[in-house]
Amino acid sequence: MSNRPASGRGRVTLMIVAAAVLVFAVGVAWMSLGHANDPAYQQRVTLPGMAGQQEYLINLWTDPHPVEQGRTRVTVQLTSTIGTPVPMNDVRFTPVRPDGTSLQAVPASPLPDGNEPEAGLTAVIEFDQPGSWTLITTLNAGGGIERQARFTIPVG
């Protein structure tokens, strides 16, 4: 009696298991794209890069979260789609009240070295009434390139 069919089945089984593990790992990696550092809010933006137009992520955190009426620290970070931080020249936050009136833009400051998120900028925003606010986030990534993202922030 030959042992070849059994060893052939073992190799096939091993290859199937290895393929399943690989597919699972790729799936987990794919699902984690776009979820850098688990921000409270996130939007995609396209910026020119070394390889032409490239997609990036604008990650936004609020403290406290969820946002309550009053002063809130807002932190922003620009990353590649796989979560690599990208330095920004400056950021401005323009809060828009639920009734549509815009407040004065608030410039963000770099976080002190060693603070998370890496290459993040932060500012304190005064949300003076409850409701659904819009936070217009204007990024300057250098070279005269500005991009805006609009985040809807529910304020309790």
Side-chain angles (χ1 to χ4, degrees), residues 61-74:
W61 293 265
T62 59
D63 183 21
H65 186 77
V67 176
E68 295 293 326
Q69 187 174 340
R71 296 171 61 93
T72 298
R73 177 161 300 282
V74 178

Side-chain angles (χ1 to χ4, degrees), residues 49-70:
M50 296 180 71
Q53 293 293 319
Q54 295 180 329
E55 213 170 75
Y56 294 89
L57 299 171
I58 300 171
N59 304 301
L60 196 75
W61 293 265
T62 59
D63 183 21
H65 186 77
V67 176
E68 295 293 326
Q69 187 174 340

Side-chain angles (χ1 to χ4, degrees), residues 56-141:
Y56 294 89
L57 299 171
I58 300 171
N59 304 301
L60 196 75
W61 293 265
T62 59
D63 183 21
H65 186 77
V67 176
E68 295 293 326
Q69 187 174 340
R71 296 171 61 93
T72 298
R73 177 161 300 282
V74 178
T75 303
V76 65
Q77 176 194 49
L78 182 67
T79 64
S80 68
T81 55
I82 60 171
T84 306
V86 177
M88 297 173 283
N89 285 354
D90 64 31
V91 173
R92 295 182 312 280
F93 296 111
T94 305
V96 181
R97 289 187 177 113
D99 66 6
T101 58
S102 295
L103 302 180
Q104 185 172 356
V106 178
S109 318
L111 289 169
D113 287 341
N115 284 351
E116 294 291 326
E118 186 180 337
L121 291 108
T122 191
V124 174
I125 308 292
E126 179 75 32
F127 294 101
D128 60 10
Q129 58 184 260
S132 184
W133 286 66
T134 300
L135 188 60
I136 302 170
T137 305
T138 306
L139 305 173
N140 178 339

Side-chain angles (χ1 to χ4, degrees), residues 6-59:
S7 68
R9 280 192 299 250
R11 284 189 198 136
V12 169
T13 302
L14 182 61
M15 287 174 45
I16 290 171
V17 169
V21 168
L22 179 62
V23 167
F24 177 76
V26 168
V28 168
W30 180 260
M31 293 195 57
S32 70
L33 291 178
H35 300 286
N37 302 323
D38 208 15
Y41 305 93
Q42 187 175 72
Q43 283 190 26
R44 292 181 182 272
V45 65
T46 303
L47 294 167
M50 296 180 71
Q53 293 293 319
Q54 295 180 329
E55 213 170 75
Y56 294 89
L57 299 171
I58 300 171
N59 304 301

